[in-house]
Amino acid sequence: MADDQQSTNDDATTSPDEPTSDSRTSHSRDTAPRRIKDDAKRAGRRAGEQLGRFDYRRPRYPHNDYPHDIHPALVPGISIDEQRRRYSLGKTVFVIAGALTVAFVIWGIVNTESVSVVSGAAYDWATRNLGWLFNLVAIVVLVALLGIALSPYGRIVLGKDGEKPEFSTFSWVAMLFAAGIGIGVLFFGPSEPLTYFVTPPPLTNEAESTQALHHAMAQTYLHWGFHAWAMYALVGGAVAYAAYRRGRALLMSSIFRTLFGDRHTDGFAGKLVDIFAIIATLFGTAAALGIAAMQIGTGVSLVADTGPLSNNMTVIVILVLTVGFVISAVSGVSRGIRYLSSINIVLTVGIVAIVLFVGPTLFLLNLLPSGLMEYLGSMFDMLGRSLSWGEETVAFQSAWTIYYWAWWISWSPFVGIFIARISRGRTIRQFLLGTIFIPSTLLLVAYGIMGGTSIWLYMNGAEGFSNDMAPPQVFFTMLDSLPNLGWLSVVSIGVLAIFFITSADSASVVMGMLTSRGDQEPRRWIVVFWGLVMSGIAVVMLLLGDATALEGLQQLVIVTAVPFAIIMLMAIVAWLRDLRTDPHTLRHTYAQTVMSNAVVDGVDRYGDDFALQVIKTEPGQGAGASVDSEDEDYTGWYQRTDEDGNPVGYDYETGEWEDGWTPADPNGDSSDTDDSDDTAAEVPTTGADPEPAEDAGR
């Protein structure tokens, strides 16, 4: 009775507008998902804030079984400027590489005919038997890097956790573009597409047809596009990762530490990699210098009307420009050279823009997208050409495609180390996709404009154009055929001269680094030595051919690039092994394991109503059950050492060394008494990067 009365009173006191218990229940069911979602968002924000505040240097759990009491998954990375390192001349690398190349220069000058016979035989053997290897490298490198970029490895920073890029995106892109702008735009840009139009690759199209026009652009884009920049990106990404994430020196051999082991990397195997890198760089850059000298000599002979260019005139041009390089290297005016290089880039872009607007603009605007689509559509067909297509195809591939793959392989240590120095703090995904696609796309536009203009002038019977023009003549003939652009010939000669000097300067610095244990400011006499050797090789290369042919340049580039082609494939394996044991990868592995196990267990036990929390498990039952985190592959790389390689204690929380060493007071050891490979005697350096904005143009 009392219950009934209470029920009546309750009913009586309920407002007509107030929801009943049933309606309240229904309303609460309607709003519950929204409330849970809002709570989840707030929890997510709180988790994100906590993660942002998490400091990997301060482990919450004792990790006494690991170097410096820090678990490998919590290491934030090690930068090159945090390592204790003395730089000195590596005698083994310097003596072997120097002796081999100097002996070659002497041999080439004293007995050019003998060098020609030997290099020709080696060239014929390499192109016939190893053409597949160069094609394989070009394909595998591009595919592998795209795979790395799109995988979880792409999120790893080329630096320490949380490190921001050293340069803005605009500055970075500008410097990447600078690394690709060079003599190629002015030399091969107008001449190469015209060559393919007049003399199409075997088994393709009829000469001077519409199909030949578009295929000519596609063939040029193949040689200067994504595959070339993938080779640069491989070396640049692997070196940047080794230096700015693992604290190693800026050396090619640093890439292989995980693959070779410390003993062999510091021993002859590592030195052999650096020697091959030097030799490849020497011949690849010497080819560019020889081409620049041919182009400059041709321009001077046409402007001054001195008659056909001879080998002797080209050699004189090389000697004059080499004097300019030596003066810049010895006098320390490299900063001024860098400014001139920046002006050079602007001038080159300006020349391309002028040709676009003064030349056949409408024709070019239609040709550019058509040529690009033809490139993308016929890429696999062009990559598939080999010995099985017949002797004519082999001859074409040797003269063009294989030569270009070899050239880019030769240039990869030089350009790769350059772009590594400007890419610190970027993720691997940003670096790889940006390096492969941004500068190559810009270059495709430049080559489309220059090549399309020369083809248009040829089709319209412009004065001076013929089907047997020498490549160095095409550019200057093109300028003479466009209205009121004769003055650009003089400007272009200056641009080419500065490219010669800056390329020789910066390439010599890279080779100086490779012979000085990664010293980013090698001694001037070392830089000058490599510059002189490079110029000597350029002279020998030209003596093997003639002033209008590229035979000598092509032969030696292909032959000397063979060992480094194998090193490129090994570099992919070595970099992947490094990435597999990276702290970010280890954390990702733990996250995948724990989330997969927790979700399955949670749904099985509680259906939809479960949450996750971190608790301690029995050994071998947790997130790292499948990982041996004490393995040397995970822990060996972050053990800090002193200048002699002896282990030293280091506190990741405070950044203090156990023996009290600091960059400002490197144990007071500043002697320089020994340059042997076993003892480094220069002052330990923090490895701070010098200003990297040098031209690395081809």
Side-chain angles (χ1 to χ4, degrees), residues 254-278:
S254 295
I255 301 173
F256 299 94
R257 190 163 293 274
T258 304
L259 187 62
F260 291 169
D262 291 344
R263 184 169 66 88
H264 292 296
T265 303
D266 294 331
F268 188 72
K271 293 179 175 63
L272 196 61
V273 169
D274 291 331
I275 289 170
F276 282 136
I278 291 171

Side-chain angles (χ1 to χ4, degrees), residues 222-245:
L222 175 72
H223 297 157
W224 292 85
F226 305 140
H227 292 84
W229 281 93
M231 295 181 193
Y232 300 157
L234 170 61
V235 175
V239 169
Y241 176 86
Y244 303 127
R245 182 75 174 172

Side-chain angles (χ1 to χ4, degrees), residues 577-650:
R577 290 195 60 169
D578 267 341
L579 296 175
R580 184 178 60 84
T581 58
D582 187 86
H584 181 278
T585 304
L586 198 53
R587 295 194 293 270
H588 181 75
T589 300
Y590 284 177
Q592 283 187 314
T593 302
V594 73
M595 289 299 294
S596 176
N597 293 341
V599 169
V600 171
D601 186 51
V603 172
D604 181 51
R605 295 169 61 185
Y606 305 113
D608 297 336
D609 305 318
F610 72 95
L612 306 181
Q613 62 176 335
V614 178
I615 62 172
K616 183 174 176 58
T617 68
E618 292 297 322
Q621 301 298 317
S626 62
V627 177
D628 181 8
S629 61
E630 296 181 21
D631 188 275
E632 182 74 12
D633 287 344
Y634 289 106
T635 62
W637 68 274
Y638 65 90
Q639 169 64 62
R640 301 299 182 99
T641 62
D642 63 14
E643 296 81 2
D644 299 317
N646 301 314
V648 178
Y650 180 81

Side-chain angles (χ1 to χ4, degrees), residues 162-179:
E163 188 169 351
K164 300 301 180 184
E166 186 176 1
F167 298 97
S168 68
T169 301
F170 178 81
S171 298
W172 182 64
V173 170
M175 285 187 283
L176 281 179
F177 188 46

